[in-house]
Amino acid sequence: MLHNKDFKYDGTPVEKASKALIMLHGRGGFAEDILGLAEHFKIEDFALVAPQAYNNSWYPLSFMAPEEQNQPWLDSALELLGELELELNQKGIASENIYFFGFSQGACLALEYTTRNAKKYGGVIAIIGGLIGDHINTGNYITDFEETSIFLGTSDPDSHVPVERVEQSAEILKNKNAKVELRIHKNAGHVINTEELGVANNFIFGYPGPSKKKV
């Protein structure tokens, strides 16, 4: 496997936690940095887990490149998440209590993994991301989300993620029986803003979010 099991932890120890949040950094990012965003959420009882991508990238090209051009890195990243989910299950955290958060490349990976393995998850937050491939292969998605809540936040326009792909992804998620909240911010830039985190905090975790500012 190209991506090593290099997991960074924070929050409640896994062995004592009832829920877990898997946090996926973007291209060029670090697991420690994405973990820092957890302070915006009301999740004191959660174990926080952030995998570190090999060379800080989950796959080499755009998420809209032909899928085979991002191999074998993409399959390795998906396999890594599968191992992490299983590891959490074995330590007593059921998939319905596992949540995902991703930004940019990490958002794309979070959506692709959970949609390929759709079941009742705790929830998914994807900031500026969409399902992967030059054309979305819906044949990869054969199960459904059982009403998992999924929040998609993005900018229009965005330099890396066309808003049309985010909208298309949202429709596929709805067709896979997810409860989807999509927020599109005009000219917001390729950043995470706390307005999005606030909406996600409310929609996914059921708590009011922080005030509006960029982070």
Side-chain angles (χ1 to χ4, degrees):
M1 186 162 59
L2 292 171
H3 296 288
N4 297 320
K5 293 177 69 173
D6 183 7
F7 301 149
K8 309 300 181 185
Y9 295 88
D10 204 348
T12 302
V14 173
E15 293 76 12
K16 297 181 179 179
S18 60
K19 298 179 180 181
L21 175 60
I22 295 172
M23 308 187 74
L24 300 173
H25 66 75
R27 188 188 301 274
F30 292 88
E32 293 87 351
D33 293 337
I34 201 78
L35 280 172
L37 291 172
E39 68 184 25
H40 293 274
F41 299 129
K42 186 76 172 179
I43 50 174
E44 285 86 354
D45 59 336
F46 280 60
L48 308 176
V49 191
Q52 177 64 52
Y54 177 72
N55 281 345
N56 307 96
S57 181
W58 296 111
Y59 43 84
L61 304 180
S62 164
F63 83 110
M64 293 187 68
E67 185 180 319
E68 61 272 15
Q69 294 182 14
N70 273 318
Q71 300 296 8
W73 298 273
L74 176 58
D75 278 352
S76 178
L78 294 169
E79 181 182 350
L80 182 72
L81 289 182
E83 291 189 6
L84 176 54
E85 181 180 353
L86 179 60
E87 190 174 293
L88 292 171
N89 293 160
Q90 292 172 339
K91 291 182 178 180
I93 301 178
S95 294
E96 65 185 23
N97 291 321
I98 295 176
Y99 296 70
F100 292 81
F101 174 91
F103 169 64
S104 191
Q105 194 185 57
C108 298
L109 182 61
L111 290 174
E112 189 68 24
Y113 174 77
T114 55
T115 310
R116 289 193 187 201
N117 299 279
K119 59 176 74 75
K120 180 63 175 176
Y121 286 112
V124 181
I125 301 167
I127 306 298
I128 311 184
L131 293 168
I132 293 174
D134 55 337
H135 300 288
I136 296 176
N137 181 8
T138 55
N140 287 331
Y141 316 134
I142 60 174
T143 55
D144 77 68
F145 278 106
E146 301 177 36
E147 299 189 337
T148 296
S149 294
I150 301 178
F151 173 75
L152 304 176
T154 197
S155 174
D156 180 21
D158 182 81
S159 55
H160 300 286
V161 181
V163 68
E164 294 81 9
R165 173 55 65 95
V166 181
E167 293 172 329
Q168 183 184 13
S169 300
E171 288 305 309
I172 290 172
L173 299 174
K174 290 176 185 176
N175 290 337
K176 304 309 292 183
N177 199 22
K179 296 165 61 178
V180 178
E181 176 76 12
L182 170 61
R183 294 291 180 97
I184 300 170
H185 299 269
K186 285 292 183 182
N187 302 306
H190 195 78
V191 298
I192 301 170
N193 67 67
T194 51
E195 182 180 9
E196 289 175 320
L197 294 180
V199 174
N201 202 28
N202 181 265
F203 184 64
I204 301 297
F205 301 115
Y207 293 92
S211 59
K212 180 179 179 181
K213 64 178 181 178
K214 290 184 178 180
V215 295

